[in-house]
């Protein structure tokens, strides 16, 4: 079984008190030492939990691919320490061979935070983490536990942590320590995986990804930092993904999928289908913003928040909850078309692909 250490006191250190803070700090130090010797760590971030390894240890990074069942050419995001700009600049300088001015503008505007930038990679570093590409994805997370671990790692010579979502490849991302245990307890022992419990992830979906490796900003994956915010920070347009874009995490057509089949539909279509099935509706779970009714007593129903950020925060946890052994279909009301819902819509479309 994977070993779980409680680091939640670091979320609110002023309220936690010394008695709670010291074990949390020791948990972080234990995790940093585990990473140094090549083990994996379940890492809480503000987006989702990551399965982390020292990004410059090819064998450890290779274990991430093997344990997730992830293709070796599908690149990972490298997470950097960044309590100050000086810290993240050191990490960027280690991995990136050049830093365009517009990429630096995005860092200043959104780091630490849920934004990943694809940059040209120095050929001698991070090859395994980059999936063999000549570019690399870098992010500076805002989560206090993630930052505590990254700074502890930096102090012992680890420049960054490769950390894709801590789930089997293509499945629903984890947003709690329990989700990580569910994914890997049967697979990994406590000397292979240590999980830092940093509480539920406050953002809940993966970071926005912007390609900065080809001379202009290109949005590769939407997240809770939307294209309007990116363009406002840059003072210039951000292009949409094209065929020449480098590979990036979470951009395959099918991704984030539960075992049950996900179907997106308008509420009216959902209600019409329930009316047609009547009391015979079975093995169906429903996630909807607008009320629905059914003559069946065998439906699993959850209501979706009306705000995009609230929906994002709970999305993956709800999909896991609805994905019961007897659930065959998960019907989800199509999200609104406005830009605030782009990240949620992207995850649901990939889950339903």
């Amino acid at each position: 079984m994977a070993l779980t250490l409680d680091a939640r006191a670091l979320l609110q250190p002023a309220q936690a008190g010394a008695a709670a803070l010291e074990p949390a700090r020791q948990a972080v130090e234990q995790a940093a030492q585990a990473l140094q010797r090549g083990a994996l760590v379940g890492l809480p971030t503000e987006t989702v939990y990551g399965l982390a390894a020292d990004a410059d240890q090819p064998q450890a990074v290779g274990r991430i691919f093997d344990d997730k069942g992830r293709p070796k050419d599908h690149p990972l995001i490298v997470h950097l320490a960044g309590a100050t700009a000086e810290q993240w600049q050191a990490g960027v300088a280690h991995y990136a061979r050049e830093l365009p001015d517009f990429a630096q503008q995005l860092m200043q505007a959104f780091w630490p935070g849920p934004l990943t930038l694809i940059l040209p990679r120095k050929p001698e570093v991070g090859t395994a983490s980059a999936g063999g590409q000549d570019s690399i994805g870098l992010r500076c997370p805002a989560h206090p536990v993630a930052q505590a671990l990254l700074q502890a790692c930096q102090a012992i010579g680890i420049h960054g942590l490769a950390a894709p979502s801590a789930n089997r490849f293509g499945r629903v991302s984890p947003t709690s320590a329990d989700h990580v245990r569910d994914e890997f307890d049967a697979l990994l022992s406590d000397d292979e995986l240590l999980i830092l419990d940093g509480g539920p992830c406050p953002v809940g979906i993966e970071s926005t990804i912007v390609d900065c490796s080809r001379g202009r900003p290109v949005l590769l994956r939407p997240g809770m930092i939307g294209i309007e915010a990116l363009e406002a920070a840059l003072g210039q347009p951000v292009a949409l993904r094209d065929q020449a874009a480098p590979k990036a995490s979470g951009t395959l057509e099918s991704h984030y999928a539960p075992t049950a089949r996900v179907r997106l539909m308008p509420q009216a279509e959902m209600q019409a289908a329930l009316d047609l099935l009547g009391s015979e509706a079975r093995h169906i779970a429903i996630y909807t913003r607008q009320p629905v009714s059914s003559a069946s007593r065998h439906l699993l129903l959850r209501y979706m928040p009306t705000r995009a950020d609230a929906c994002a925060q709970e999305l993956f946890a709800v999909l896991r909850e609805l994905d019961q052994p007897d659930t065959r279909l998960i019907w989800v009301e199509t999200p609104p078309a406005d830009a605030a819902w782009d990240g949620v819509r992207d995850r649901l479309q990939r889950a339903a692909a």
Side-chain angles (χ1 to χ4, degrees), residues 181-196:
R181 279 194 296 272
D182 290 344
E183 292 284 339
F184 293 108
D185 247 3
L187 184 65
L188 300 175
S189 63
D190 60 3
D191 61 344
E192 296 174 308
L193 175 64
L194 186 155
I195 302 170
L196 280 180

Side-chain angles (χ1 to χ4, degrees), residues 105-106 109-110 225-238:
Q105 284 180 269
L106 291 173
F110 299 111
I225 297 175
I227 192 167
E228 293 177 354
L230 297 171
E231 291 178 338
L234 290 171
Q236 69 178 88
V238 174

